[in-house]
Amino acid sequence: IGSMDEASTSVDRIGPTIGSELLRNARWALLIAGVLMLLYITIRFKFNYAITAIVALMHDVLVMVSLFAIFRIEVNSEFIAAILTIIGYSINNTIVIFDRIRENDKGNSKDFAGVVNTSINQTLGRTINTELAVLFLLFALIIFGGATTKAFVLALIFGMFAGFFSSVFLVGNILVFVTNIFGKGKNGSRRAVNTGKVSVAKGK
């Protein structure tokens, strides 16, 4: 029996059976989350908004997976939890932008791209402040936290940057593009007028 002062070390190993089960559960979790969000955003907003949100979320997940593959960081159940956490955080930012777009547009604007650009600029301060507040906490955890949580926190940091980029720089352009295809109205008869790419500019 070792003494109380002796450091204890725990080792977790994932075998092929558990690994395949983990992958299967991750796929189901992402699929169910995606379908539920698609239905929710379609009901609350419109179908073109839902498609935009799903594409942005796919971008966030792909960035996280790609960075873990590039840096050869081990993927475990904590990584799956981090993906689901980032999906929830990113969709919250996206819905805030969607709300502002709907308030500014009201279905009457002919320059939909301009409305989207203005809405993103109006919510930019809130997005940056929220992002920084969470990142400060995550950086503190990665510096002072235990070794067992580093992979989870690192995945969250990657996802936060990916979510910020998609919410500010991708969502608007994707929404305008999808709206030009499906139309603004429920019957798809109206089209958004795209005056160019959506850009983020400093508001007055």
Side-chain angles (χ1 to χ4, degrees):
I1 301 176
S3 62
M4 296 297 294
D5 295 334
E6 230 177 278
S8 60
T9 304
S10 63
V11 178
D12 295 330
R13 295 185 182 275
I14 299 178
T17 303
I18 299 178
S20 61
E21 183 180 354
L22 176 64
L23 182 60
R24 183 172 62 253
N25 292 338
R27 289 173 178 171
W28 276 109
L30 293 175
L31 178 62
I32 293 172
V35 171
L36 291 177
M37 283 187 290
L38 186 65
L39 292 175
Y40 169 74
I41 298 175
T42 300
I43 294 172
R44 181 172 176 180
F45 298 95
K46 294 174 184 176
F47 182 70
N48 52 344
Y49 286 79
I51 292 296
T52 300
I54 295 301
V55 172
L57 291 178
M58 289 174 59
H59 162 269
D60 300 342
V61 172
L62 286 175
V63 168
M64 292 176 65
V65 173
S66 300
L67 289 176
F68 264 61
I70 291 172
F71 293 107
R72 297 183 179 275
I73 303 174
E74 182 182 358
V75 174
N76 51 25
S77 57
E78 294 178 353
F79 178 75
I80 306 303
I83 288 180
L84 295 176
T85 302
I86 289 302
I87 286 177
Y89 176 85
S90 182
I91 198 66
N92 177 66
N93 273 347
T94 302
I95 287 177
V96 169
I97 295 175
F98 285 171
D99 269 326
R100 185 57 60 89
I101 293 173
R102 184 171 58 180
E103 291 175 2
N104 292 336
D105 181 41
K106 300 185 184 303
N108 299 320
S109 175
K110 295 182 179 180
D111 182 13
F112 186 64
V115 171
V116 171
N117 186 59
T118 300
S119 302
I120 293 176
N121 289 326
Q122 290 175 348
T123 57
L124 185 60
R126 175 199 177 279
T127 303
I128 293 176
N129 291 335
T130 305
E131 182 85 7
L132 289 177
V134 178
L135 283 176
F136 289 155
L137 174 61
L138 293 178
F139 280 123
L141 287 175
I142 200 127
I143 294 173
F144 302 106
T148 56
T149 62
K150 286 190 182 297
F152 175 75
V153 176
L154 191 61
L156 290 180
I157 291 176
F158 289 158
M160 290 288 294
F161 281 110
F164 174 80
F165 179 83
S166 64
S167 297
V168 176
F169 298 102
L170 293 184
V171 164
N173 288 294
I174 296 173
L175 180 59
V176 171
F177 176 77
V178 173
T179 302
N180 283 327
I181 297 176
F182 293 101
K184 290 179 64 178
K186 293 182 179 180
N187 57 2
S189 59
R190 295 186 60 188
R191 303 289 176 183
V193 177
N194 188 355
T195 58
K197 292 185 177 180
V198 177
S199 60
V200 178
K202 186 177 180 181
K204 294 182 179 181

